[in-house]
Amino acid sequence: MLRIYFSDFWPELDQKNNYLANALRKVTPIVIDNANPELVFFSYYGNSHMKYKCPKIFYTGENLRPNFNTCDYAISFDYPVTKKNFRLPLYALYGDVSLLCEAKNPEEIIKLKSKFCNFVVSNPQGAERNKFFKMLSKYKKVDSGGRFMNNIGRTISDKLAFIKGYKFTIAFENSSYPGYTTEKIFQPMLENSLPVYWGNPLVGRDFNTKSFINIHDYPDFDTVIEQIISVDKDDSKYAAYLQEPYFTGNIPNEYVQQGNLNNFFKNICNDLPQIEPVAANSKHRILANIAFCKRRALELTDYSIRNVRRLINL
């Protein structure tokens, strides 16, 4: 039973039932242990993780880089995937990605799209998306249902239900960085509302860029808006986007395939000191403890050497 703990996460995190705990549970039995964990997951909401001396995994849902001087492993947005770093885009935590592989009927979808474009933002930060919202609004009203720039007279409570009837969704990240892909593009895809995406310039590693309007493929916002207007006026052009699978080859990308995260956790577990099972009698118990102590000493020595090497490379 592996003792783990989640430190410095958002307050509403359920220690026992969350994406990371459930994924790790597929690899090894776990128990939440605040006092003496063998493995700590920590995020960016504080520094309480510093009191733990066991191996640590840094997790970020924001555009932050892992610091391997403070963590042994990381689950981040960054490329490449290595033994120390697993790229897990945030949208994987927002629903079953396999839903995007279901067959689409463009004609039926178009019948449901009675409204032009939506914009759901609560964070005023993000100069690019604010600028784009104002520019596109000069063509037609863009319905803003979030707390920021709200123009529909109410703040929506169900984003997916809200965007379902719209042809387009402004799907901008709050910042741009290679690998930084969140739920912004995933949610409109779930409702077959054509995303107008800006953020990760390498978003093609996540999704088929023929299935949405990828601003990174255009020289400027004016050209993007010309394309939106053209598609808005021609259902055949809109249908062409809908006919494309969201994932290249209609197969979820490597970063959100559960087996790859499982393998990442397996490698971590293999690196951790293993607890010897209780022996059946005293003699076997003594021999088992001796063997465990010898192995633990070798593992701690190796762990110390790796830490020294890491410090040397600072």
Side-chain angles (χ1 to χ4, degrees):
M1 189 75 70
L2 181 64
R3 302 187 305 273
I4 70 168
Y5 188 67
F6 291 87
S7 179
D8 305 314
F9 277 74
W10 43 92
E12 59 271 23
L13 178 79
D14 185 336
Q15 289 267 343
K16 294 181 180 180
N17 183 22
N18 62 69
Y19 189 92
L20 300 176
N22 293 336
L24 181 57
R25 196 175 280 115
K26 293 179 180 179
V27 173
T28 184
I30 62 173
V31 62
I32 305 300
D33 188 336
N34 175 10
N36 188 31
E38 298 168 283
L39 181 66
V40 165
F41 291 84
F42 73 96
S43 196
Y44 45 85
Y45 283 81
N47 295 304
S48 297
H49 67 276
M50 295 179 68
K51 67 182 179 182
Y52 298 106
K53 303 305 179 186
C54 62
K56 302 176 191 177
I57 303 176
F58 172 68
Y59 171 80
T60 179
E62 293 291 344
N63 190 5
L64 301 171
R65 313 280 72 75
N67 179 356
F68 287 100
N69 293 317
T70 59
C71 65
D72 300 279
Y73 307 92
I75 298 175
S76 71
F77 291 98
D78 289 8
Y79 307 108
V81 171
T82 67
K83 188 176 180 180
K84 295 292 187 181
N85 177 74
F86 187 82
R87 179 178 182 265
L88 182 66
L90 187 62
Y91 59 84
L93 281 64
Y94 274 75
D96 182 356
V97 296
S98 67
L99 293 174
L100 297 188
C101 298
E102 295 180 353
K104 293 180 284 184
N105 185 326
E107 291 184 2
E108 292 301 316
I109 292 172
I110 290 174
K111 290 179 183 178
L112 299 174
K113 305 303 179 185
S114 59
K115 292 173 279 189
F116 172 53
C117 183
N118 74 86
F119 178 75
V120 181
V121 173
S122 295
N123 180 2
Q125 303 299 319
E128 291 82 4
R129 66 184 174 194
N130 299 344
K131 176 182 178 181
F132 188 83
F133 167 74
K134 293 176 181 178
M135 289 178 65
L136 185 59
S137 296
K138 293 177 181 179
Y139 165 62
K140 282 184 180 180
K141 181 187 177 184
V142 177
D143 291 343
S144 178
R147 292 191 300 271
F148 181 64
M149 291 187 178
N150 187 287
N151 62 10
I152 63 171
R154 62 184 176 88
T155 301
I156 65 166
S157 58
D158 186 336
K159 182 178 178 180
L160 293 182
F162 175 67
I163 67 180
K164 188 171 185 176
Y166 289 89
K167 293 177 72 173
F168 303 91
T169 294
I170 295 178
F172 274 46
E173 309 291 3
N174 53 25
S175 58
S176 178
Y177 191 84
Y180 182 56
T181 315
T182 72
E183 80 286 358
K184 299 296 192 300
I185 187 173
F186 177 70
Q187 290 177 320
M189 285 178 169
L190 285 174
E191 298 299 337
N192 294 309
S193 176
L194 190 62
V196 181
Y197 180 78
W198 176 91
N200 177 10
L202 301 178
V203 68
R205 296 188 184 184
D206 288 307
F207 299 105
N208 170 21
T209 55
K210 294 179 180 179
S211 68
F212 61 97
I213 296 177
N214 182 23
I215 290 180
H216 298 281
D217 289 340
Y218 294 82
D220 50 48
F221 284 173
D222 287 325
T223 310
V224 175
I225 291 174
E226 289 175 6
Q227 175 66 4
I228 292 172
I229 294 173
S230 176
V231 174
D232 183 44
K233 293 180 176 180
D234 188 337
D235 283 351
S236 65
K237 291 182 179 180
Y238 190 80
Y241 283 101
L242 294 173
Q243 288 166 354
E244 290 285 339
Y246 288 125
F247 292 115
T248 301
N250 205 29
I251 299 173
N253 62 72
E254 62 180 297
Y255 308 109
V256 296
Q257 291 182 18
Q258 186 66 52
N260 292 334
L261 180 58
N262 292 349
N263 289 335
F264 180 71
F265 281 144
K266 284 179 183 177
N267 289 332
I268 292 175
C269 290
N270 289 337
D271 285 345
L272 297 175
Q274 298 297 303
I275 300 176
E276 196 75 15
V278 176
N281 57 54
S282 297
K283 180 180 178 180
H284 288 165
R285 185 180 297 113
I286 292 171
L287 292 175
N289 284 338
I290 291 173
F292 168 72
C293 290
K294 287 182 178 178
R295 187 170 65 251
R296 183 65 182 270
L298 290 173
E299 289 167 341
L300 289 175
T301 300
D302 179 63
Y303 185 68
S304 297
I305 291 172
R306 284 186 280 123
N307 278 337
V308 170
R309 288 174 177 167
R310 187 169 58 189
L311 290 171
I312 291 173
N313 291 327
L314 286 178

